[in-house]
Amino acid sequence: MKSKLHLLWDMDGTLVDSEPEILATIEKSLATVGVKMEEAEAPLRIGPPVKVIIRNSFSEEVLSDSQLDEAVKAFRKIYDTSDYENTLPFEGIDELMHDSNYVHHVITNKPDLATNRILERKGWSGCVIDVLTPHTLENEIGHTMTKPELFKFCRAAYPEVPMVGIGDMALDAESALGEKITAIGVLWGTGTRDELEKAGCHYIVDNSAQLNDLLIYLNNE
């Protein structure tokens, strides 16, 4: 009997629109160290770990390393206890997450606590067989894991099943391709079509209806 297709979902920008809540929390966190959002030298792009998001937009002249560390601590304190009312599933995603024709995994740069709280509040905890974040295996292996390492771990745990990686950024596609996993790029998140094409996505979809049709096709190949 053919195995079900395993879906390796990114979270931010793929499953949920977390940008409004993350940006609002970053603004509050920066305020604790006396820095304003208007001082950003580049737009904040949601997807990487929050420390990377902030550093990519604020130079050390505006935000020192020590201030950055304090802002990240403040962010975690605020964000990890949120009810995530302003973090909403993208259109059509809830139906896909509840589709038992697939086996669902989540691989994200978001820490464990926030990831699992969001999954619980969106009613997806029972739909996902495992959740992998940079910190999931930290106590066992002694360091955080990059997204490519998380894909490698997931592929090793399920070596014989068909898999696709679904994400909105180039790193999602590159991580899947590194393990010879089909890469699907979605255009409702942060990444652009040009970035996803350059990353080597096998498929790029504009909306969840296209994604649904593509997954049905891949599941029946």
Side-chain angles (χ1 to χ4, degrees), residues 26 64 102 134 154 210:
I26 287 176
S64 69
Y102 310 106
C154 191
Q210 289 182 5

Side-chain angles (χ1 to χ4, degrees), residues 150-171:
L150 293 171
F151 268 76
K152 183 176 182 178
F153 177 86
C154 191
R155 176 78 275 182
Y158 303 91
E160 302 299 330
V161 301
M163 285 183 168
V164 299
I166 307 170
D168 67 309
M169 299 191 75
L171 182 60

Side-chain angles (χ1 to χ4, degrees), residues 10-196:
D10 172 51
M11 178 166 277
D12 294 325
T14 302
L15 292 177
V16 294
D17 182 5
S18 53
E19 183 171 312
E21 188 148 11
I22 289 176
L23 290 179
T25 307
I26 287 176
E27 184 171 17
K28 293 175 185 176
S29 305
L30 290 171
T32 67
V33 295
V35 175
K36 298 179 180 180
M37 291 283 273
E38 293 78 12
E39 297 177 79
E41 296 167 286
L44 284 82
R45 299 190 73 195
I46 306 306
V50 67
K51 188 171 185 177
V52 176
I53 294 172
I54 297 173
R55 176 50 78 213
N56 284 345
S57 296
F58 293 85
S59 69
E60 290 185 41
E61 287 74 23
V62 175
L63 182 72
S64 69
D65 285 342
S66 61
Q67 286 177 305
L68 175 59
D69 289 340
E70 288 303 312
V72 170
K73 288 179 185 177
F75 179 93
R76 292 264 65 92
K77 185 176 181 179
I78 299 167
Y79 190 76
D80 289 350
T81 57
S82 171
D83 288 329
Y84 306 105
E85 292 180 357
N86 296 314
T87 296
L88 302 176
F90 287 102
E91 183 179 357
I93 289 297
D94 187 63
E95 292 82 357
L96 279 169
M97 287 297 286
H98 283 95
D99 192 332
S100 60
N101 289 305
Y102 310 106
V103 179
H104 301 274
H105 309 251
V106 172
I107 301 181
T108 176
N109 283 319
K110 190 184 292 294
D112 290 298
L113 179 60
T115 299
N116 285 298
R117 281 170 61 86
I118 290 171
L119 290 173
E120 178 184 358
R121 279 156 177 73
K122 304 311 168 189
W124 298 337
S125 294
C127 306
V128 178
I129 66 167
D130 58 11
V131 177
L132 293 173
T133 84
H135 307 280
T136 303
L137 301 169
E138 187 172 4
N139 290 336
E140 296 175 36
I141 65 176
H143 63 85
T144 59
M145 296 176 74
T146 63
K147 185 160 278 191
E149 289 174 323
L150 293 171
F151 268 76
K152 183 176 182 178
F153 177 86
C154 191
R155 176 78 275 182
Y158 303 91
E160 302 299 330
V161 301
M163 285 183 168
V164 299
I166 307 170
D168 67 309
M169 299 191 75
L171 182 60
D172 301 314
E174 292 161 358
S175 300
L177 294 167
E179 298 305 316
K180 296 181 172 57
I181 294 170
T182 299
I184 300 175
V186 304
L187 291 177
W188 52 80
T190 300
T192 65
R193 180 178 293 275
D194 183 59
E195 289 170 337
L196 294 171

